[in-house]
């Protein structure tokens, strides 16, 4: 009985001193994350500067606005509004082994789109102003199931400089780029679909 009591006390005292493991990061990832977080609460208008897809673009003639809407020590939520379409939110997360970029796509009623939470993870140090996110395995399998296997080669890139933020998608034969003017904040839009103000 004494042995059991001693073991219980030892476990209890160990639990009292336990703390969560630290979320480690490297300076370039921290710098990139912090450079975006510095604009928290602000929104900016952008324009498509490169789009080599054939056929009409769903972005043509629409107001494009990014909103650095919510920021914590480990996650940034950045809705990307395309005209009245508030279905897209970029989620940048510190993972302890780099940075993750996910695309949260939702319907107007807030439910998840079938094609949601795709994205990628950094595989190198990158720079405080530029990070690349090659498609992760979840995304590759999603793209195959959605009959768009060409997208498994996707790499998303984000650039942030004092005057401009860029969102870029590249893969073999495909490039899409939107540049946002950080010198002219605009009125933040309403919450994206599925989120609350």
């Amino acid at each position: 009985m004494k042995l059991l009591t001693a073991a219980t006390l030892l476990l209890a005292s160990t639990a009292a001193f336990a703390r969560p493991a630290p979320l480690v990061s490297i300076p370039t990832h921290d710098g990139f994350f912090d450079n975006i977080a510095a604009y928290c609460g602000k929104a900016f208008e952008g324009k498509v500067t490169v789009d080599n897809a054939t056929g009409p673009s769903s972005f043509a003639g629409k107001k494009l606005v990014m909103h650095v809407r919510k920021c914590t020590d480990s996650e940034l939520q950045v809705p990307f509004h395309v005209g009245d379409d508030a279905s897209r939110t970029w989620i940048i997360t510190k993972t302890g082994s780099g940075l993750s970029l996910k695309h949260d796509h939702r319907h107007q009623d807030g439910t998840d789109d079938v094609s949601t939470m795709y994205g990628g993870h950094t595989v190198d140090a990158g720079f405080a102003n530029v990070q690349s996110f090659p498609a992760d395995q979840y995304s590759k399998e999603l793209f195959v199931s959605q009959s768009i296997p060409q997208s498994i080669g996707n790499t998303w890139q984000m650039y942030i400089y004092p005057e401009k933020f860029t969102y870029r998608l590249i893969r073999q034969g495909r490039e899409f780029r939107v540049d946002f003017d950080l010198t002219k904040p605009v009125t933040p839009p309403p919450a994206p679909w599925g989120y609350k103000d």
Side-chain angles (χ1 to χ4, degrees):
M1 185 66 175
K2 288 182 180 179
L3 186 58
L4 181 60
T5 304
T8 304
L9 286 172
L10 180 62
L11 281 173
S13 64
T14 303
F17 294 106
R19 63 174 179 77
L23 185 64
V24 296
S25 195
I26 62 173
T28 51
H29 292 158
D30 287 339
F32 178 80
F33 188 95
D34 294 345
N35 281 338
I36 297 175
Y39 293 95
C40 204
K42 296 182 179 179
F44 306 93
E45 192 167 347
K47 62 181 179 180
V48 175
T49 53
V50 178
D51 187 358
N52 67 352
T54 56
S57 170
S58 59
F59 292 76
K62 295 181 180 171
K63 185 175 182 180
L64 308 178
V65 175
M66 65 170 280
H67 178 198
V68 186
R69 183 173 177 272
K70 185 175 178 184
C71 309
T72 69
D73 290 342
S74 60
E75 182 180 278
L76 306 173
Q77 295 177 1
V78 185
F80 174 38
H81 296 256
V82 180
D84 295 328
D85 183 339
S87 65
R88 301 169 178 86
T89 300
W90 302 321
I91 300 175
I92 302 162
T93 307
K94 290 185 178 183
T95 66
S97 58
L99 297 172
S100 166
L101 168 66
K102 289 291 184 174
H103 298 74
D104 184 357
H105 284 216
R106 304 199 189 186
H107 298 290
Q108 197 161 2
D109 64 2
T111 58
D112 294 328
D113 192 276
V114 174
S115 183
T116 192
M117 297 311 286
Y118 62 85
H121 196 282
T122 55
V123 294
D124 57 24
F127 302 92
N129 302 103
V130 184
Q131 291 293 334
S132 294
F133 306 89
D136 58 27
Q137 192 60 36
Y138 166 80
S139 304
K140 292 176 182 180
E141 293 184 25
L142 176 68
F143 296 148
V144 170
S145 72
Q146 295 293 306
S147 300
I148 49 172
Q150 65 274 19
S151 294
I152 66 173
N154 282 6
T155 294
W156 296 272
Q157 296 177 326
M158 289 181 165
Y159 305 71
I160 182 159
Y161 291 98
E163 296 183 353
K164 181 167 63 175
F165 175 88
T166 297
Y167 169 88
R168 182 181 185 221
L169 162 68
I170 54 171
R171 65 172 179 261
Q172 186 172 0
R174 178 78 173 106
E175 182 177 4
F176 174 79
R177 176 175 172 156
V178 184
D179 292 324
F180 298 86
D181 185 351
L182 298 182
T183 68
K184 299 175 183 174
V186 298
T187 302
W193 298 342
Y195 290 77
K196 294 181 180 179
D197 281 324

